[in-house]
Amino acid sequence: MSGNPYGPYQQFNVPPMPSSPPPAPPDGLRAAAVALLNLSGLGLGYALVRRWVLMAACWVATVVLLLVALPADADGVPGAALAGYAVFLLLAAVHGAIAGLRTRLSWPGRAPLALLLGVLLLAVPAGAALGYGNAHDEAVERSLLDRLERADHLVTAGSRHTFAEARSDYGTALDVYRDLAVEHSGSRAAEQVPDRMRTYYETVGAAYGHKDYCAAIDPLKYLRTVPRTMPRKQLGSLTRWPDDRLATSLYECGASSLANGEADWVTKFGDLLDTFPQSAPAGEVVPAVDSAVKKAEKAVGGGEPCAAVEQLRSLNTRITELSGAAPDAAGDLGKAAGRADRSGDAGEYACGVDQYKDGDFAAAQKTMDQFLADNKHSGNRDRAKKTSIAAEVAQTLPAAGKKLPTTASGGSISVTVKNDSPDDVTVLYTGPVTGSFTLKGCGSCRTYTLADTLLVGFKPCHGGKNYPQRTISLPVGTTYFVHKPHGDSTATPGSDTAKLRSGYIYTECAYTTQTLGSGY
């Protein structure tokens, strides 16, 4: 029998070795440290608890945010990206706190030190946010300055076009200046708006500086509307800048139109008197109108009297219109209108004479008749009556209009005019002497047929009847007669040219056929 020299055999059970360190006791400070370190955005809390994949995820998220945010621009980081990143950091902090509650730190060994490190590293995202905020603010400033520069370009480009063509661009630029001044009042761009507005006013109102007064009116009116929307502190003295210039432009443009015989001077002067009644240019309106009336009056005696009369008529109408729109100046304007009216009436005589000389006898007759109606006490009435008669005769016998009629009357030769017609007849004559009279119709006379006038020996006024008649005395020379039916008859006037010589007695006979004839 064999035995164990070492004594009885004993068997021991050895526990297996753990695959990882045993969980550490729960530690709130450690959990807080890991959470704070994860809030830095660098995943350092996961690094201290050896969660390398999660740390890499934090780095990826931060890199993605940086790619979205940088370089900083005026639009900033999209809100969705910021919100997503903030949620991610909060989840990383909460998850890190849970992981760090029972996991020992790889470094530093003490939780308070890690917590202090986490607090210090919070300066990283805070500093990054501050730096990004400054960069974003600068980007916004650059963006606003770019907007200011683009608006300046619109104004500069507008200066190369008419106001009507550039008005839209001017409006766009003004909207930009207004937005910068109101919505971004603390920006560097907003600080430059007052200077830009002075340039804006000078550019829009440049036509005034070029003395193109008519073209300056609309832009200056436009500039007067700017203070309705632009803060007055941005404008300063520019608020009243257009007023004197607009008043001057309205006067100068109106005066030019008045001098050139154009019609829109009434509108310009009316605007001036209504908008700036106390201005110096407004005080020049009445003298300008008076001067225009005097100029037209003087022109009546010139080479174009009819045009001068027409101008006086137009002045009377338009001055009356202007006085109705300008109560303060109505009295003085009314006097000017009255003088233009009277001078126009008086000028009709010169106009009629000019028309007569030009051979426009119908116009001359009409003008002289109007003169007689408008001027009851003129010293030219007698000459005007004779000119009207001569003009009417010359419409049938053009040779009668070679000379203006004189005011002479009478003569040494007797001419008897008889009426062998049942109708009243008006007899017109001109030559050395001009006049007219009317003969009553012959009650026992008849209207001749055309066949009657073709008979051999046809002689009206030879029937021994008591014909209505009148004898006039005329001088030697050629006298032109026209017999026309009195009243509204449409019968054709008869005519005769009589060469009167001394020692003879002449007879004129008026009769009617299908047209009116004459003989002697």
Side-chain angles (χ1 to χ4, degrees):
M1 174 174 186
S2 63
N4 185 354
Y6 299 102
Y9 175 79
Q10 294 182 354
Q11 185 176 359
F12 298 96
N13 293 322
V14 179
M17 293 297 292
S19 59
S20 61
D27 187 341
L29 289 178
R30 186 171 58 238
V34 173
L36 285 176
L37 287 169
N38 277 354
L39 284 177
S40 68
L42 302 176
L44 295 181
Y46 284 133
L48 295 186
V49 294
R50 297 171 295 280
R51 304 292 178 93
W52 308 114
V53 174
L54 294 176
M55 182 189 74
C58 290
W59 277 93
V60 169
T62 299
V63 169
V64 169
L65 178 66
L66 291 176
L67 290 176
V68 172
L70 298 178
D73 58 26
D75 294 331
V77 182
L82 284 177
Y85 187 70
V87 170
F88 177 81
L89 289 184
L90 288 175
L91 291 176
V94 172
H95 183 263
I98 295 173
L101 185 64
R102 293 182 176 276
T103 303
R104 297 181 185 277
L105 302 179
S106 61
W107 182 91
R110 297 178 179 275
L113 183 58
L115 182 63
L116 177 61
L117 181 62
V119 172
L120 293 176
L121 287 178
L122 285 179
V124 174
L130 180 61
Y132 179 81
N134 291 335
H136 173 258
D137 290 343
E138 181 59 27
V140 170
E141 289 285 357
R142 288 197 303 271
S143 175
L144 295 178
L145 289 171
D146 288 343
R147 289 185 63 198
L148 180 67
E149 184 176 0
R150 288 194 295 272
D152 295 342
H153 285 323
L154 287 176
V155 175
T156 301
S159 67
R160 296 189 287 269
H161 303 280
T162 66
F163 174 72
E165 295 170 336
R167 181 165 185 164
S168 177
D169 287 343
Y170 286 146
T172 300
L174 182 62
D175 289 341
V176 173
Y177 294 148
R178 183 186 303 114
D179 181 72
L180 293 175
V182 175
E183 303 299 332
H184 307 280
S185 57
S187 66
R188 297 199 300 269
E191 293 175 356
Q192 299 181 45
V193 168
D195 289 339
R196 294 303 198 278
M197 288 308 302
R198 178 161 294 279
T199 301
Y200 182 85
Y201 270 64
E202 291 173 352
T203 302
V204 174
Y208 177 84
H210 300 149
K211 296 186 178 181
D212 190 355
Y213 297 112
C214 292
I217 291 174
D218 284 344
L220 290 172
K221 285 184 175 181
Y222 168 80
L223 289 174
R224 294 188 79 229
T225 68
V226 171
R228 299 175 188 173
T229 54
M230 179 66 73
R232 290 182 177 269
K233 66 179 181 180
Q234 301 291 336
L235 298 176
S237 61
L238 292 176
T239 301
R240 310 300 301 177
W241 188 90
D243 292 353
D244 290 343
R245 291 168 173 81
L246 178 56
T248 300
S249 296
L250 286 170
Y251 172 75
E252 294 293 345
C253 182
S256 176
S257 296
L258 178 60
N260 294 330
E262 300 168 356
D264 62 345
W265 63 270
V266 175
T267 302
K268 302 301 185 295
F269 282 172
D271 284 351
L272 172 59
L273 294 173
D274 180 59
T275 309
F276 307 104
Q278 304 303 318
S279 66
E284 297 297 322
V285 169
V286 172
V289 170
D290 284 337
S291 177
V293 172
K294 292 177 181 177
K295 181 179 178 181
E297 288 174 331
K298 184 177 180 180
V300 170
E304 297 291 339
C306 293
V309 169
E310 184 63 27
Q311 177 68 6
L312 286 166
R313 296 290 188 218
S314 176
L315 284 170
N316 171 49
T317 300
R318 300 191 182 284
I319 295 171
T320 301
E321 178 184 344
L322 178 61
S323 64
D328 291 345
D332 292 333
L333 290 171
K335 294 177 182 178
R339 192 172 71 253
D341 185 41
R342 293 188 298 274
S343 297
D345 290 345
E348 288 172 339
Y349 175 77
C351 175
V353 169
D354 188 65
Q355 290 168 332
Y356 189 96
K357 290 180 177 179
D358 289 341
D360 191 353
F361 301 118
Q365 180 189 354
K366 181 179 179 180
T367 300
M368 287 303 186
D369 289 346
Q370 187 64 49
F371 170 79
L372 293 169
D374 293 337
N375 298 271
K376 302 298 184 182
H377 307 289
S378 171
N380 288 320
R381 282 183 62 82
D382 187 42
R383 186 76 177 271
K385 288 179 182 179
K386 293 182 180 296
T387 303
S388 176
I389 293 170
E392 187 170 1
V393 172
Q395 291 174 62
T396 302
L397 299 170
K402 290 182 179 180
K403 295 181 179 179
L404 276 170
T406 67
T407 57
S409 62
S412 60
I413 301 175
S414 294
V415 178
T416 300
V417 183
K418 298 179 180 181
N419 185 12
D420 187 4
S421 166
D423 302 317
D424 293 352
V425 172
T426 297
V427 178
L428 310 172
Y429 59 93
T430 188
V433 170
T434 300
S436 68
F437 55 88
T438 299
L439 294 176
K440 293 292 186 180
C442 175
S444 59
C445 298
R446 66 181 179 87
T447 299
Y448 294 102
T449 66
L450 183 60
D452 292 332
T453 64
L454 298 176
L455 293 174
V456 176
F458 171 71
K459 292 183 178 181
C461 298
H462 283 75
K465 299 177 183 179
N466 186 21
Y467 299 105
Q469 59 185 283
R470 181 170 177 176
T471 300
I472 57 176
S473 297
L474 299 176
V476 173
T478 301
T479 297
Y480 302 89
F481 290 91
V482 167
H483 309 154
K484 68 174 186 177
H486 188 68
D488 298 329
S489 174
T490 58
T492 303
S495 61
D496 182 38
T497 301
K499 296 182 179 181
L500 306 180
R501 293 179 294 174
S502 299
Y504 292 86
I505 297 175
Y506 295 87
T507 300
E508 283 280 328
C509 181
Y511 61 94
T512 56
T513 58
Q514 292 179 347
T515 60
L516 190 68
S518 66
Y520 70 96

